[in-house]
Amino acid sequence: MDLISIMNIGTHIMVFLFGITIGSFLNVCIYRLPAGESLTKKNSHCMTCGTPIKWYDLVPVFSWLFLRGKCRACGSKISSRYIIVESLTGILFVLTFLRFDTIIDGLIYPALCCLFIAGLIVIGFEDYDTSEMTVGVLLYLAIVAFVTRVLTALNGKMFRACEISLADGIIGMFAVSVPFLFFGFVITPLIYNFIDEDRKAARKIRKRLKTQKLDRSEERKLEKTLAEHLSAIKEKGPVFGFGMGDVLLMAAGGLMYGWKAAVVAAFIAIISGAVYAVILKVRAARNDEESVKAFSFGPFLTIGLGIASFFGTRLMDMYIDFLTVPQIPVQ
Ligand SMILES: [Zn+2]
């Protein structure tokens, strides 16, 4: 083995170790940010017995493996989430660096890609846990994407490994986010207005109250039913197919990875989300549960963006090639 390949392997081991350390911090973000807790203040402690965790039990990935996922003090199970997030971060960082020749391309662009992926991991798990995305993390993603695009535009030589142009990024910012905004906040509420029983009933009653002559007691009865429907509507909350978080996530993702990757990411997310919905429905039917619990779309979008960040542009080019009808030579 020559010196360069030994150095390369060494770099990737370093990147992995760095990645799992960042992953350990991401775990803290995923647990504390949605609760509004400080990221720096409190020390880590066992979720069951509350014993503070010693530094030597906080080594990412390895401590969990060494303790076989159990607390040293009380022996209760430590969530496998920790090792999953840590190793996922490490592996994705290594895969990102593998795409580039760091000796020629430098470290800055791969590092920016890793910073973005770190934010995606936090957003995905946050949304999975709480159905909400923290504004701070969305802002962080937007800033990383913005800085990446500006640096790429200013210094094409240093970022020659980056195949996404400024125009690609700007189009990408709107390519998916605008359709999401339109579907989420215009189309879906409109459709919902016509299929939701409470909304339909409330509309009917309002019309009757307005147009028909009713005696006092009848009117009072109708007003009471109307109030019931209105409170039921309020309890269900606003109807958004895509939340504002999804829209902003896809704007940042498009700016970072370009429009082709953004479109591919949306496709992957919608298809995998639909498959997941079917699985939930089948499982609910089998367990005789009444309805399917709503689930967040964010995790699917982050998975889509993650895959698209590696293959998005190539997949889209393949798709365009597939659609293009070959020219038949004229004889
Ligand atoms: Zn414990």
Side-chain angles (χ1 to χ4, degrees):
M1 214 188 304
D2 59 348
L3 189 65
I4 290 192
S5 39
I6 291 171
M7 264 172 66
N8 250 331
I9 292 169
T11 310
H12 291 126
I13 291 172
M14 295 262 286
V15 168
F16 181 74
L17 294 177
F18 184 67
I20 59 176
T21 312
I22 296 288
S24 169
F25 173 68
L26 299 185
N27 266 319
V28 178
C29 294
I30 292 164
Y31 281 107
R32 293 191 184 171
L33 284 178
E37 288 175 40
S38 158
L39 290 179
T40 50
K41 259 186 189 166
K42 278 184 269 171
N43 286 319
S44 303
H45 53 82
C46 170
M47 296 281 187
T48 312
C49 68
T51 310
I53 299 169
K54 299 266 166 44
W55 64 267
Y56 49 80
D57 284 343
L58 280 171
V59 181
V61 178
F62 298 105
S63 285
W64 196 95
L65 289 176
F66 180 71
L67 294 169
R68 292 206 195 86
K70 282 177 190 149
C71 168
R72 191 189 281 274
C74 70
S76 62
K77 245 183 114 190
I78 301 170
S79 168
S80 55
R81 168 70 71 80
Y82 290 99
I83 190 175
I84 290 171
V85 170
E86 285 160 359
S87 41
L88 181 69
T89 312
I91 290 165
L92 287 177
F93 277 22
V94 171
L95 288 178
T96 301
F97 269 79
L98 279 174
R99 284 170 63 203
F100 306 103
D101 185 341
T102 46
I103 294 164
I104 298 170
D105 302 326
L107 294 170
I108 300 176
Y109 185 63
L112 284 166
C113 290
C114 286
L115 283 176
F116 197 84
I117 283 174
L120 286 182
I121 291 171
V122 174
I123 279 284
F125 280 100
E126 252 185 25
D127 201 31
Y128 179 77
D129 289 342
T130 66
S131 293
E132 257 168 71
M133 300 178 185
T134 316
V135 178
V137 184
L138 286 170
L139 196 65
Y140 162 87
L141 285 171
I143 290 169
V144 173
F146 179 77
V147 168
T148 306
R149 277 292 73 75
V150 170
L151 286 179
T152 317
L154 288 179
N155 193 340
K157 225 183 212 166
M158 199 156 102
F159 290 92
R160 56 188 218 142
C162 168
E163 67 280 17
I164 297 140
S165 69
L166 184 63
D168 260 352
I170 292 170
I171 297 169
M173 206 165 115
F174 301 106
V176 173
S177 63
V178 171
F180 272 22
L181 193 70
F182 186 66
F183 271 100
F185 293 83
V186 182
I187 301 282
T188 315
L190 263 180
I191 294 170
Y192 196 76
N193 227 357
F194 283 97
I195 59 167
D196 182 61
E197 291 301 327
D198 284 306
R199 280 166 208 259
K200 275 201 301 205
R203 252 202 317 277
K204 241 183 220 161
I205 294 171
R206 278 208 181 105
K207 202 175 167 192
R208 270 189 75 186
L209 284 170
K210 233 185 216 169
T211 52
Q212 288 177 9
K213 272 217 163 207
L214 304 158
D215 61 56
R216 192 72 202 120
S217 72
E218 217 173 350
E219 207 178 286
R220 220 174 274 161
K221 218 165 139 194
L222 277 179
E223 270 164 3
K224 206 182 149 212
T225 351
L226 178 64
E228 276 167 18
H229 286 302
L230 288 180
S231 77
I233 291 167
K234 210 173 170 188
E235 211 163 275
K236 283 180 205 165
V239 204
F240 299 136
F242 301 106
M244 208 54 205
D246 300 326
V247 172
L248 295 175
L249 174 64
M250 290 316 285
L255 183 61
M256 182 75 192
Y257 297 133
W259 69 269
K260 289 176 181 173
V263 172
V264 169
F267 263 106
I268 293 172
I270 288 166
I271 291 166
S272 55
V275 169
Y276 183 69
V278 169
I279 292 171
L280 280 186
K281 210 159 207 180
V282 169
R283 201 186 286 166
R286 203 174 280 166
N287 296 343
D288 239 11
E289 285 161 27
E290 254 188 33
S291 63
V292 179
K293 250 189 7 190
F295 65 91
S296 320
F297 197 50
F300 297 98
L301 288 174
T302 50
I303 292 169
L305 280 173
I307 295 172
S309 74
F310 291 103
F311 312 111
T313 307
R314 215 176 315 151
L315 282 175
M316 195 62 178
D317 285 338
M318 271 164 62
Y319 183 64
I320 292 169
D321 277 350
F322 172 74
L323 287 184
T324 313
V325 181
Q327 297 283 319
I328 299 161
V330 184
Q331 290 196 324

